Amino acid sequence: MTTPHALSAHQAHTRLHELTVLDVRTPGEYAAGHLPGALNIPLDQIPRAVPAIRHAADRGDVLVVCASGARSDSACRTLAEHGIRTATLAGGTGAWATAGHDLHHPEQASRATWDMERQVRLTAGVLVLVGLGLGLLHPAFQLISAAIAGGLAFSALTKTCGMAAVLAKLPHNRPQPGDIDATLATLLDHRPPK
């Protein structure tokens, strides 16, 4: 198995012209701003994209990007299991923007979607409030709030997020029909400029 490694925002910016960049966030997050030249393959589509990613990796280095680095780490581990050498952007697009590098914003983003972290915070907050509110009717409903708190703690400790995985399946976070096929075709033909 190939071990994934991380590039800092500065290292990635210096090498951007020679990298194939894959953004594993949801299509809405990608449309809200991504690294120049990045191709969008949501995390749950990585297994389907393995042959195209392998093809790209055979031609040059592949950088995997998400908002903070957690999803890209997961994607890199999955690809490493298939013997595909990749790198992740340490700190994700957040670190990229903080370092002063521009994100590409399509002229007409098809839809404005909150980033996944914001969606998780909203959902967790609403569920906690619902649990507390229902707990006024019957104390057992407070277990909803306790379960969400436990899930958030587990998420922080393991750098995974089950709630984000569930939210990623909602229609506004899914690619439009044909988007993945078009991206895979582009990836098979894509050569980073030298």
Side-chain angles (χ1 to χ4, degrees), residues 33-45:
H34 55 270
L35 271 66
L39 300 171
N40 185 221
I41 302 176
L43 181 60
D44 66 340
Q45 297 294 315

Side-chain angles (χ1 to χ4, degrees), residues 92-182:
T93 56
W96 180 267
T98 299
H101 306 305
D102 290 332
L103 292 172
H104 176 73
H105 299 276
E107 288 180 26
Q108 294 184 1
S110 60
R111 50 193 162 159
T113 301
W114 289 357
D115 64 61
M116 189 56 65
E117 181 182 337
R118 187 174 180 193
Q119 291 181 53
V120 167
R121 287 193 317 252
L122 174 69
T123 304
V126 167
L127 289 172
V128 166
L129 290 174
V130 166
L132 291 173
L134 291 173
L136 296 173
L137 300 174
H138 191 282
F141 284 117
Q142 291 178 357
L143 292 175
I144 296 170
S145 299
I148 297 301
L152 291 172
F154 179 79
S155 174
L157 293 172
T158 62
K159 294 185 180 181
T160 62
C161 186
M163 189 178 292
V166 170
L167 291 173
K169 296 185 182 313
L170 294 175
H172 67 275
N173 284 325
R174 305 295 308 146
Q176 297 297 315
D179 283 355
I180 293 298
D181 292 333

Side-chain angles (χ1 to χ4, degrees), residues 11 23 49 54 59 72 74 97-98 118 121 159 168:
Q11 291 169 318
D23 191 317
R54 182 185 315 281
R59 292 179 307 196
S72 59
S74 176
T98 299
R118 187 174 180 193
R121 287 193 317 252
K159 294 185 180 181

